[in-house]
Amino acid sequence: MVFPCCSNMFRFHVVIVSILIALLGPSHGLQECHFPAIFNFGDSNSDTGGFSASYYQHPSPYGETFFHMPAGRASDGRLIVDFMAESLGLPYLSAYLNSLGSNFSHGANFAYDASTITPQSLGLSDGGYSPFYLLIQYGQFKQFMSRSQMLLKQGGIYEDLVPVEKFFGRALYTVDMGQNDLAAGFYGNKSIEQVNASVPSMIDTFAADIKDIYNLGARSFWIHSTGPIGCLTYILVGLSVSQDQMDSVGCAKPYNDVAQYFNQELKRAVSQLRQELPLASFTYVDVYSVKYSLFSQPQKYGFEQPLLTCCGYGGKYNFNGDVRCGQTGKINGTQIYVGSCKNPQLRVIWDGVHYTEAANKIVFDQISSGAFSDPRLPLKFACNRI
């Protein structure tokens, strides 16, 4: 699909970033990073197979657009982290929990569907959240580091399956978490005010976990803000959002306000980490603004009906929480199969919770340019400390 040109504001940001790179070129110590590996921490927005390997596989039509089969991703195709790997010339990340066919020589993915920053009381079997919250993902990474080097010393086939030691200090460390922490509060019958009040604790936990990862040798961090949760169908339908809570786009403003407060505190925490850990580079990435623009200006990106779920069934938003994408069930006494829409490339929302490959590609293209980063450096320069 060829996407129409992005907004004038985005082009302006790209020009500014280009000027910055020109001014701060090699003579000022600004070098392209050549990351040899990516280590990712997150939830279903970046899980490339952990959930599918350890719980159950996302069914068809997941993966249909690019992989032409379910591929462990909560989308019809590639995720932002997949496009990130492509752009850095690296293979797609294998999930840490996937024991079959994995190659970790250029990184590993610790992200897992339904994961949170803070531990949750309601587990997956009860319709809740993953046991692999951020501190556990850190623990898995710590074990991965030590065990991979033990295996490397054994030689043989392991030499081609695990990263060499020097890659850990030169790798890119990406983090995308927070959406499920907010959703857990909303679905846990907490008021907007109560969820807001819990945000500082979430951020303190996040910062502590990032320090732990840093103490293992990580030096280049690329940290995503959370997206506009109030634009996602499972919020609009599941929480019975009233008309007076809608903004001009049709998103639920109170829930987006909480996400923006979370991002405000996250950006503050990243800035503090930058001061406390001057040997590392920390890039805060405003994913929220880019994702919101997909809903507010869909025509600029070639999308239609941005709030309508592609793989869903029924109602105003083509979404029913009782029978979801790829499932078969009864609705009003009729047996139905929930399949994909005809043209996923024209939709923003894939299954009511996650984005389509087309949306993920646009988000990646914009954030990788550095136009939405603090500091304003492109992805390939994110190891630089300025």
Side-chain angles (χ1 to χ4, degrees), residues 291-303:
K291 286 186 173 179
Y292 188 78
S293 72
L294 304 182
F295 299 101
S296 63
Q297 300 171 309
Q299 66 282 356
K300 289 189 176 182
Y301 307 109
F303 292 122

Side-chain angles (χ1 to χ4, degrees), residues 233-250:
T233 322
Y234 82 117
I235 294 294
L236 295 172
V237 174
L239 297 178
S240 301
V241 178
S242 62
Q243 192 61 42
D244 62 349
Q245 292 179 308
M246 303 287 194
D247 64 13
S248 59
V249 174

Side-chain angles (χ1 to χ4, degrees), residues 177 199 203 224-228 256 258-269 284-289:
M177 295 186 94
V199 166
I203 299 301
H224 289 185
S225 70
T226 196
N256 277 348
V258 176
Q260 289 181 297
Y261 173 57
F262 174 93
N263 292 336
Q264 171 189 311
E265 292 301 295
L266 178 63
K267 186 176 183 179
R268 176 193 56 76
Y284 169 85
V285 186
D286 181 14
V287 170
Y288 180 100
S289 292

Side-chain angles (χ1 to χ4, degrees), residues 42-105:
D43 52 32
S44 56
N45 288 306
S46 59
D47 182 355
T48 55
F51 180 85
S52 291
S54 60
Y55 205 63
Y56 64 81
Q57 174 74 277
H58 291 294
S60 179
Y62 283 90
E64 66 173 14
T65 295
F66 181 78
F67 301 100
H68 308 299
M69 60 181 290
R73 291 151 173 83
S75 179
D76 61 311
R78 289 165 290 183
L79 309 178
I80 293 172
V81 71
D82 291 316
F83 291 114
M84 189 177 298
E86 286 182 3
S87 75
L88 296 177
L90 300 174
Y92 297 137
L93 291 184
S94 292
Y96 170 72
L97 293 175
N98 192 357
S99 59
L100 297 174
S102 291
N103 187 319
F104 301 109
S105 58

Side-chain angles (χ1 to χ4, degrees), residues 230-238 240-252 304-310 312-321 347 349 352:
C231 298
L232 298 178
T233 322
Y234 82 117
I235 294 294
L236 295 172
V237 174
S240 301
V241 178
S242 62
Q243 192 61 42
D244 62 349
Q245 292 179 308
M246 303 287 194
D247 64 13
S248 59
V249 174
C251 299
E304 300 173 357
Q305 300 176 295
L307 296 173
L308 200 65
T309 300
C310 175
Y313 181 87
K316 179 179 179 181
Y317 301 103
N318 194 41
F319 178 81
N320 186 307
R347 297 289 174 81
I349 299 176

Side-chain angles (χ1 to χ4, degrees), residues 15-213:
V15 170
I16 294 299
V17 170
S18 300
I19 292 173
L20 177 63
I21 293 173
L23 292 175
L24 298 178
S27 63
H28 288 77
L30 192 63
Q31 302 285 347
E32 189 167 335
C33 301
H34 303 291
F35 295 113
I38 300 172
F39 294 102
N40 182 67
F41 305 83
D43 52 32
S44 56
N45 288 306
S46 59
D47 182 355
T48 55
F51 180 85
S52 291
S54 60
Y55 205 63
Y56 64 81
Q57 174 74 277
H58 291 294
S60 179
Y62 283 90
E64 66 173 14
T65 295
F66 181 78
F67 301 100
H68 308 299
M69 60 181 290
R73 291 151 173 83
S75 179
D76 61 311
R78 289 165 290 183
L79 309 178
I80 293 172
V81 71
D82 291 316
F83 291 114
M84 189 177 298
E86 286 182 3
S87 75
L88 296 177
L90 300 174
Y92 297 137
L93 291 184
S94 292
Y96 170 72
L97 293 175
N98 192 357
S99 59
L100 297 174
S102 291
N103 187 319
F104 301 109
S105 58
H106 292 280
N109 195 349
F110 301 89
Y112 194 92
D113 283 21
S115 286
T116 52
I117 296 168
T118 56
Q120 303 295 318
S121 57
L122 193 65
L124 282 174
S125 60
D126 298 312
Y129 298 90
S130 160
F132 302 113
Y133 53 95
L134 184 54
L135 182 61
I136 300 300
Q137 292 184 22
Y138 152 76
Q140 292 173 333
F141 172 62
K142 184 177 181 180
Q143 182 176 199
F144 175 85
M145 285 188 70
S146 61
R147 292 190 65 193
S148 65
Q149 297 314 290
M150 289 173 57
L151 291 171
L152 195 62
K153 290 177 182 177
Q154 294 181 22
I157 62 171
Y158 297 116
E159 292 182 357
D160 298 322
L161 296 177
V162 296
V164 296
E165 185 176 10
K166 65 182 180 181
F167 280 10
F168 290 102
R170 294 167 49 200
L172 179 66
Y173 290 79
T174 54
V175 191
D176 188 333
M177 295 186 94
Q179 176 177 318
N180 290 321
D181 293 85
L182 302 184
F186 299 145
Y187 273 95
N189 294 320
K190 288 185 178 180
S191 66
I192 295 293
E193 293 74 21
Q194 287 173 318
V195 178
N196 257 334
S198 68
V199 166
S201 177
M202 295 176 200
I203 299 301
D204 288 345
T205 299
F206 180 90
D209 294 341
I210 294 300
K211 289 179 182 178
D212 286 339
I213 297 171

